[in-house]
Each structure stands twice: as structure tokens, then as C-alpha cells.
């Protein structure tokens, strides 16, 4: 299997730590991804979520790009309704000027937060996205003779797939959000793709959640904090990711509906020892015919995230390109 692999990192904050520690951990994970031969390292945009330190992707991208040598660095994604298109164009144009041919601009249509915070951000309706995207691309085109960031359309439903197909953009599907819709969305994208000045054929990434343990039993413990964190978010009481021990202590106290939320979160990820995760990723790549795979691991310990990247890199024989 020769597809490239990339990384999406949320800069997760664990119980008892702060955002500074989480961001330092993400920086170290990015350095290791660079050294291991991953193609891209993307960071997300989330707001008012105590378990996520990645609130301003352009700031974190600048830091990570300056801390790495080869890997492309980008957003997975910038939530365009939260921003003026000109501001996004200026920020990412500057990032590309500072790090030529290394910046990706992944764009999403959702606010990436709760409605109250979206109002504070002055987020606009997702229905305005096509016009905002047109403005953004126009501003980037006005930058003169320089490289521009590589634009990717993100999606977890058919909405993003339709926009990417109509505009001839590369498309990233969030399999870790909506695994049952992955193949239909990619099929819709490919069937309706219109060639553009950017692409002459469809180009896709599938982003999958992974949790890699020493063995399957270890991984099944490591994934529990992500399940508890999602449950708290759904209940309107978000908090930093609990430790494995804290998550295990909470399990006997959960009601049936709460346990269903935890199990649903776990079921969206590929969880297991190195061989189990390798098999799961192989199956996903074969089923989706993705041009690239992106892995994300909502595990707060950066050393555990690095271990996961090392195991995937070994299994799929990744190797870094020489530094230019």
C-alpha cells in the first residue's frame, strides 16, 4: 500500500494540565511526524472546548512550520463562517510566503463550537460558504507572483463533497466523524467532479481516528478518555480529557444512554495493537480508494500519539523526503 499518510492533531488537553503543555506536546508530535515521513500535519479550529487547545490554527501552523523541515503544515480546518475571507487570505498568504510550498488551507463550513460561542465569533451561516470561498480565492489570486496555499475542502456529509466536486477542489472526508457516510460521500464527489484550473481529476484524503496500544487490550483502555470526553461534550459540560484511570472509574456510574455515547465514539475509531490498526487502515484505504490517508488520535499523552505514528510509519514503510 503506497498511499501517503498525514496527521491531524487536536492538541488535546488532559486532566491536570493546561493549553501550554498541550501545545508543546503537539509541537513534539509534529517534529516526529516530519522525521518519520508523513506528508502533512494539520491542526483544527475548535472554540470553547476545554479538551482542545487548537483554537487559532494559523498561529499554531506558523509555530509548527518553523519547528519542522519538510512536512506540509495546514488547517483541518479553518471554519470559514467564523472569519472574513480577506483575513483568511492575508493570514495564509503570509504563512505561504514564510514557508513556500508547505502550507495547506483546509476549509470547513461549520463554526466548530456551540451556538453561543458562534454568536460571539460573529459566525455567519454555512449557506454563505460558497460566496465566502469565492471571495477568499479571489483575494489569494490578487497576491501577485508567489505561491499560494493548497486549498482543500473538508466535509463529514454530502455538503462538502458537492462543493468540492462542483469547484474542482481536492476533498477531505472526516471518516472519524461520520464513518457510515464515507464511501457514499466519496462516490458523490468522484461522480460529480468538474475539472478546474487546480485539478484535472478527483483527489481525496480520508481522515480516520486511530488509537494504537501495545496490544488490543492496552488500546481499549487508551480510547476510554475520548469516549468520556465526547459524552461530557454532548451533555453540555465539557472538560479536559480525563486520564485512563479517571475514565475507568466513571464507567460503572454511566447509564445505558450514556454508555451508548461512549461506545459510539469508540466505534468510530480504529483501535488496537499495531497489527490490528494496520489491518483496519488497509481495509479503509482499499474500500475508499483514497489518494491519501490522514490519521488522528484523541489521546492526550503526546508520547502515545508519537508511538501510534511510529507504528503506522513502520507498517506502511514511510520515509522522509530529503530537505531541500
Amino acid at each position: 500500500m503506497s498511499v501517503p499518510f498525514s496527521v491531524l492533531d487536536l492538541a488535546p488537553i488532559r486532566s491536570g494540565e493546561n493549553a501550554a503543555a498541550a501545545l508543546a506536546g503537539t509541537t513534539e508530535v509534529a517534529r516526529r511526524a516530519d522525521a518519520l515521513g508523513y506528508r502533512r500535519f494539520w491542526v483544527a479550529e475548535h472554540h470553547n472546548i476545554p479538551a482542545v487547545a487548537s483554537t487559532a490554527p494559523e498561529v499554531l501552523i506558523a509555530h509548527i512550520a518553523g519547528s519542522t523541515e519538510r512536512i506540509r503544515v495546514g488547517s483541518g480546518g479553518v471554519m470559514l463562517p467564523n472569519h472574513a475571507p480577506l483575513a483568511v487570505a492575508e493570514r495564509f498568504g503570509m504563512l505561504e510566503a514564510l514557508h513556500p510550498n508547505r502550507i495547506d488551507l483546509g476549509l470547513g463550513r461549520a463554526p466548530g463550537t456551540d451556538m453561543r460561542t458562534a454568536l460571539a465569533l460573529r459566525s455567519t451561516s454555512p449557506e454563505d460558504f460558497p460566496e465566502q470561498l469565492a471571495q477568499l480565492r479571489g483575494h489569494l489570486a490578487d497576491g501577485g507572483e508567489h505561491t499560494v496555499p493548497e486549498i482543500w475542502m473538508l466535509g463529514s456529509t454530502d455538503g462538502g463533497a458537492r462543493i468540492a466536486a462542483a469547484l474542482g477542489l481536492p476533498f477531505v472526508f472526516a471518516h472519524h466523524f461520520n464513518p457510515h457516510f464515507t464511501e457514499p460521500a466519496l462516490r458523490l464527489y468522484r461522480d460529480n467532479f468538474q475539472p478546474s484550473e487546480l485539478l484535472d481529476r478527483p483527489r481525496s484524503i480520508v481522515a480516520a481516528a486511530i488509537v494504537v496500544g501495545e496490544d488490543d487490550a492496552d488500546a481499549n483502555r487508551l480510547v476510554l478518555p475520548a469516549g468520556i470526553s465526547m459524552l461530557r461534550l454532548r451533555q453540555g459540560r465539557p472538560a479536559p480529557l480525563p486520564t485512563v484511570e479517571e475514565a475507568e472509574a466513571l464507567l460503572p456510574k454511566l447509564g445505558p444512554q450514556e454508555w451508548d455515547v461512549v461506545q459510539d465514539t469508540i466505534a468510530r475509531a480504529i483501535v488496537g495493537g499495531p497489527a490490528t490498526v494496520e489491518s483496519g487502515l488497509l481495509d479503509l484505504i482499499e474500500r475508499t480508494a483514497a489518494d491519501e490517508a490522514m490519521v488522528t488520535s484523541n489521546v492526550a499523552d503526546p508520547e502515545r500519539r508519537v508511538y501510534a505514528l511510529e507504528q503506522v510509519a513502520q507498517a506502511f514503510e514511510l520515509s522522509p523526503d530529503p530537505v531541500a
Side-chain angles (χ1 to χ4, degrees):
M1 187 67 64
S2 59
V3 303
F5 273 77
S6 294
V7 181
L8 170 65
D9 195 280
L10 300 181
I13 303 173
R14 60 179 153 185
S15 176
E17 292 194 351
N18 58 21
L23 294 169
T26 286
T27 303
E28 183 53 36
V29 175
R31 291 192 183 107
R32 290 295 298 140
D34 189 24
L36 288 166
Y38 285 83
R39 174 169 287 184
R40 311 173 200 276
F41 192 92
W42 283 8
V43 295
E45 178 186 344
H46 290 290
H47 302 280
N48 197 31
I49 299 178
V52 178
S54 183
T55 56
E58 63 274 15
V59 177
L60 190 50
I61 289 166
H63 174 68
I64 290 172
S67 302
T68 53
E69 297 180 298
R70 311 167 185 82
I71 199 165
R72 296 187 65 91
V73 188
S75 58
V78 163
M79 302 296 105
L80 192 53
N82 296 342
H83 309 277
L86 175 58
V88 176
E90 289 181 335
R91 293 165 190 164
F92 277 80
M94 180 178 287
L95 286 168
E96 178 67 23
L98 290 168
H99 305 282
N101 298 306
R102 288 188 59 204
I103 302 300
D104 295 331
L105 174 53
L107 295 168
R109 298 183 301 142
T113 189
D114 58 90
M115 291 309 299
R116 183 176 179 181
T117 307
L119 289 172
L121 289 165
R122 299 182 180 178
S123 185
T124 58
S125 169
E127 295 178 1
D128 297 331
F129 182 89
E131 174 58 28
Q132 292 175 323
L133 177 56
Q135 292 179 29
L136 169 62
R137 294 181 68 184
H139 294 314
L140 284 171
D142 292 338
E145 294 185 2
H146 60 71
T147 58
V148 297
E150 196 170 278
I151 296 177
W152 288 79
M153 184 68 213
L154 278 58
S156 59
T157 65
D158 62 349
R162 292 182 188 279
I163 291 173
L167 298 179
L169 294 174
F171 178 55
V172 186
F173 188 82
H175 178 78
H176 56 299
F177 281 173
N178 197 356
H180 300 297
F181 207 73
T182 304
E183 291 168 79
L186 289 171
R187 186 162 53 248
L188 185 153
Y189 167 64
R190 291 166 181 149
D191 289 348
N192 293 278
F193 182 83
Q194 299 296 314
S196 69
E197 73 279 8
L198 297 177
L199 282 182
D200 59 1
R201 64 176 183 83
R203 183 181 175 197
S204 62
I205 296 177
V206 172
I210 63 169
V211 176
V212 186
E214 299 288 341
D215 52 32
D216 288 359
D218 183 41
N220 287 332
R221 293 183 70 240
L222 286 175
V223 75
L224 291 175
I228 294 296
S229 182
M230 179 58 71
L231 172 62
R232 289 171 169 173
L233 190 62
R234 295 268 183 89
Q235 292 175 331
R237 50 188 190 93
L241 279 171
T243 65
V244 171
E245 293 74 19
E246 288 170 342
E248 287 178 323
L250 288 170
L251 292 182
K253 304 174 184 178
L254 300 181
Q257 291 182 327
E258 292 174 319
W259 181 235
D260 286 346
V261 173
V262 174
Q263 286 187 308
D264 178 66
T265 301
I266 293 172
R268 292 187 221 156
I270 300 171
V271 181
T276 300
V277 172
E278 178 186 1
S279 176
L281 286 171
L282 277 169
D283 175 68
L284 179 64
I285 293 165
E286 289 173 355
R287 284 191 292 108
T288 62
D291 299 295
E292 191 171 326
M294 181 171 282
V295 294
T296 183
S297 188
N298 194 18
V299 174
D301 185 347
E303 292 183 5
R304 288 286 197 165
R305 302 207 302 282
V306 167
Y307 175 78
L309 296 186
E310 289 172 343
Q311 297 306 308
V312 171
Q314 180 178 336
F316 291 90
E317 300 181 346
L318 305 186
S319 59
D321 292 329
V323 178

